[in-house]
Amino acid sequence: MAKDKAPKAPKPQKIGNRWAGPAMVTSGVVGLIWIVVFYTLSNQVIDYPSFLQWYDDLGSWNLVIGMGFIVAAFGFAMKWE
């Protein structure tokens, strides 16, 4: 008895990480906006609402946070195929 040697269908190719591109762009834009808002509001006397007081209390750490988002965007770029 001979077995039927029909060719197997090709395996579907892995498309990649679909989430990496949007995460990269979002993280980069959030970091950029964070830094721009910090520089815009840093030398002005503004009576912040109570829910935004933490942003003023961070001081120069806002630069570290904004750059952290941008570095995370580069990390997401490494995952993007």
Side-chain angles (χ1 to χ4, degrees):
M1 257 192 205
K3 290 189 175 182
D4 196 17
K5 296 282 187 175
K8 293 183 180 179
K11 293 182 181 179
Q13 291 183 343
K14 184 179 177 185
I15 294 174
N17 297 326
R18 291 178 180 234
W19 56 268
M24 175 185 63
V25 172
T26 302
S27 181
V29 168
V30 166
L32 180 66
I33 290 173
W34 195 288
I35 292 173
V36 167
V37 169
F38 168 67
Y39 273 122
T40 304
L41 300 178
S42 64
N43 291 328
Q44 298 179 9
V45 178
I46 298 175
D47 187 26
Y48 288 98
S50 61
F51 67 91
L52 284 179
Q53 189 61 39
W54 59 270
Y55 191 82
D56 188 41
D57 291 341
L58 287 173
S60 293
W61 282 100
N62 283 310
L63 290 175
V64 175
I65 294 170
M67 288 304 293
F69 277 111
I70 293 171
V71 168
F74 283 112
F76 289 131
M78 297 296 179
K79 294 287 185 185
W80 191 26
E81 295 178 7

